[in-house]
Structures are given as structure tokens and as C-alpha cells.
Amino acid sequence: MLIRRMNPADLPAVMELDQLSFSQPWPPAAFEKELVNLTSRCWVAEVDGCVAGALVIWRVLDEAHIATIATHPDFRRQGIGRALLKTGMEAAYTEGARIYHLEGRAGNAGVDIQDLSACLDLVFRGPANHIEIAFLQGFQQQLTPGGVDAFSDD
């Protein structure tokens, strides 16, 4: 598996991946705009020459907002999403990000809060960071590198 920056040649595969992964995929031009957006960091995971996953992170000041992350259905449960997230968040950290946001719909396929908590714990082993995972429909969980800090339903 190769994790690398997304480029224009990846767009057809990334858009197909987005449509396969979400009930409300991004409009076709959205990924094109992200490639030229100065605050966007766009990544793909490539397996045997195929785009197997994609990640878009928006970097603003000391924050990183994970705008979208998806793994192709044929490649799920192989650690690709975890590798994308780790690469993207580590790159954001080097650029100064200390606060990370991820929002998702509770019903999204593949969203497993325990898997995600374990993944985020693996991503950060350095200085204290705050990771906010906000699931729509009122569920919010605050995490730090050591694990769960607090739960709230506001």
C-alpha cells in the first residue's frame, strides 16, 4: 500500500469511491476544488495501482478538520483507513495542528467508534492533543491520546 497526495488523475476513482461509500456523496466538482484549496490536504491510498481510499483534511491555524475519509468496499477492514488517517494527521501535526475534528453520521457504514478510538490512540503518542469526534444525532465523544476523557450528548 502506498499513501500519497491526491492528484487530478485520481479524481474519477476518488469520486467513484465517494459514491460507493456515502448516501450523500460530494458533488463532482468538490474534489477538484479541494486539490487547489490552500487549506486542503488531499491523500489517497493506492493498492496495486488502484485507489483504495481517500482522505481530505482542512488545515486552519492549529486545527485540522477531517472533511472526508473513505475506503473502497473491496478494500475495507485491511487498515487502509487507519493508515490514511495516521498519515494525514501526522502531516497536519507537523504543520502545527493540535486540535482535530471529525464529524460523521452515526449510520455511516464502517463507522465503529471503538475501532476509531483505538486508531486515534495509535496516531498520537506525543504531546497532549485534543481530538474531537462529533457524530451527528447528538453523540459526541472527546478523546485524547490515552483514550476516552468524557462523553456528552449535547
Side-chain angles (χ1 to χ4, degrees), residues 97-121:
R98 297 299 181 266
I99 300 170
Y100 303 82
H101 301 277
L102 170 63
E103 298 177 6
R105 289 175 182 79
N108 276 358
V111 174
D112 182 324
I113 192 64
Q114 290 177 332
D115 284 353
L116 194 51
S117 298
C119 176
L120 293 172
D121 184 44

Side-chain angles (χ1 to χ4, degrees), residues 68-118:
T68 189
I69 182 168
T71 304
H72 191 285
D74 293 343
F75 294 97
R76 290 186 183 151
R77 296 291 185 195
Q78 298 178 34
I80 292 169
R82 179 179 299 217
L84 272 169
L85 192 59
K86 184 176 189 311
T87 299
M89 291 177 81
E90 286 176 350
Y93 183 86
T94 17
E95 292 181 30
R98 297 299 181 266
I99 300 170
Y100 303 82
H101 301 277
L102 170 63
E103 298 177 6
R105 289 175 182 79
N108 276 358
V111 174
D112 182 324
I113 192 64
Q114 290 177 332
D115 284 353
L116 194 51
S117 298

Side-chain angles (χ1 to χ4, degrees), residues 34-140:
E34 294 304 329
L35 285 177
V36 295
N37 180 345
L38 296 179
T39 63
S40 290
R41 308 299 183 264
C42 304
W43 301 88
V44 293
E46 191 178 297
V47 176
D48 297 328
C50 299
V51 172
L55 168 69
V56 176
I57 294 180
W58 297 325
R59 273 275 302 113
V60 180
L61 301 174
D62 66 342
E63 298 188 12
H65 180 96
I66 299 154
T68 189
I69 182 168
T71 304
H72 191 285
D74 293 343
F75 294 97
R76 290 186 183 151
R77 296 291 185 195
Q78 298 178 34
I80 292 169
R82 179 179 299 217
L84 272 169
L85 192 59
K86 184 176 189 311
T87 299
M89 291 177 81
E90 286 176 350
Y93 183 86
T94 17
E95 292 181 30
R98 297 299 181 266
I99 300 170
Y100 303 82
H101 301 277
L102 170 63
E103 298 177 6
R105 289 175 182 79
N108 276 358
V111 174
D112 182 324
I113 192 64
Q114 290 177 332
D115 284 353
L116 194 51
S117 298
C119 176
L120 293 172
D121 184 44
L122 290 173
V123 170
F124 291 100
R125 299 240 181 237
N129 295 290
H130 172 81
I131 303 162
E132 179 178 313
I133 302 172
F135 286 89
L136 303 181
Q137 303 175 353
F139 177 76
Q140 184 169 337

